[in-house]
Amino acid sequence: MDVILLSADGQPIGTQSKQTVHSTNTPLHQAFSCHVINDAGQVLATRRALGKLTWPGVWTNSFCGHPQPGEDLERALARHAQGELGLEVREVRMALPDFRYRAVDASGIVENEICPVFTAIAAGEIAANPEEVMDYCWVEPGALAQSARATPWAFSPWLVMQANDMELYRS
C-alpha cells in the first residue's frame, strides 16, 4: 500500500510505500482522522495497539488512515472503519478540512500529515482489529477533551490538537 506524498502547499507529488514513509524524516503526506459518534452522543476513543510504529498504546480518536492513490476520502474512511474497528459508519461530515500537523514520537519517528478531520455516526457493533486497536470506550466528548488537555502525554498529539479545535468537543 502506498501513501500520497504532498508538496508544502498540499499538492500530490508522488507516492511512497506506507512501510517506508514513516521515519525520523517523514515527508508530508495525505491522511485523515475520524471521530465516530454513537446514538447517545458519545464519541469513540481508541487505544492504539502496542505494535503500532508511532504512539503505541496511547489513546486517540476513533480511527485514522491514509487514502490510496485515486481513492476518495469517503471510501478510504469506510475502508479504515471496517479494517480497524469492524464498523460501518454513516453520515460522514467534514469537521476540520485544513487540519495539518507534524509531531515526533518518543522513538524519533515523525508524523507529518495534511489530515482532514471527519465525524461519522456508528452503524453497528465494534469488532476491533487487535493489530490496530488494543482497547476502546465510548465517552462524553467534553470529558475526552478535558482529559486530553489535562494529560496530553496519554493521548496522540493529533487528538489533543483536534479536540481543541472541533465543535464536537465544545458542547
Side-chain angles (χ1 to χ4, degrees):
M1 296 181 85
D2 287 341
V3 300
I4 302 165
L5 302 178
L6 301 172
S7 65
D9 65 352
Q11 298 304 307
I13 57 171
T15 62
Q16 186 173 339
S17 167
K18 183 180 176 196
Q19 278 62 38
T20 64
V21 76
H22 294 100
S23 69
T24 56
N25 192 27
T26 303
L28 182 64
H29 60 279
Q30 182 72 63
F32 61 83
S33 287
C34 188
H35 299 251
V36 177
I37 304 159
N38 66 15
D39 290 334
Q42 298 169 310
V43 66
L44 179 64
T46 60
R47 188 169 177 210
R48 292 171 62 83
L50 293 177
K52 298 292 280 181
L53 180 64
T54 59
W55 285 274
V58 302
W59 286 92
T60 194
N61 59 293
S62 306
F63 66 94
C64 297
H66 303 92
Q68 294 297 292
E71 180 181 43
D72 68 46
L73 285 175
E74 195 155 328
R75 174 67 193 117
L77 281 158
R79 179 172 55 83
H80 277 270
Q82 189 60 235
E84 293 185 26
L85 300 169
L87 183 67
E88 290 187 33
V89 294
R90 58 184 170 83
E91 297 180 42
V92 175
R93 294 196 172 104
M94 180 70 73
L96 297 173
D98 300 318
F99 183 75
R100 179 178 184 158
Y101 76 101
R102 185 181 185 283
V104 182
D105 181 79
S107 70
I109 301 294
V110 174
E111 284 285 9
N112 187 17
E113 300 178 335
I114 292 180
C115 184
V117 181
F118 297 84
T119 61
I121 305 297
E125 298 298 314
I126 296 169
N129 176 346
E131 292 181 15
E132 298 288 339
V133 174
M134 66 183 289
D135 198 6
Y136 65 89
C137 64
W138 292 101
V139 63
E140 295 301 321
L144 181 58
Q146 183 178 11
S147 294
R149 281 190 300 274
T151 58
W153 59 86
F155 297 90
S156 69
W158 58 90
L159 172 62
V160 174
M161 290 181 262
Q162 291 169 8
N164 197 43
D165 293 342
M166 290 176 68
E167 187 66 34
L168 169 67
Y169 294 101
R170 292 189 195 122
S171 42

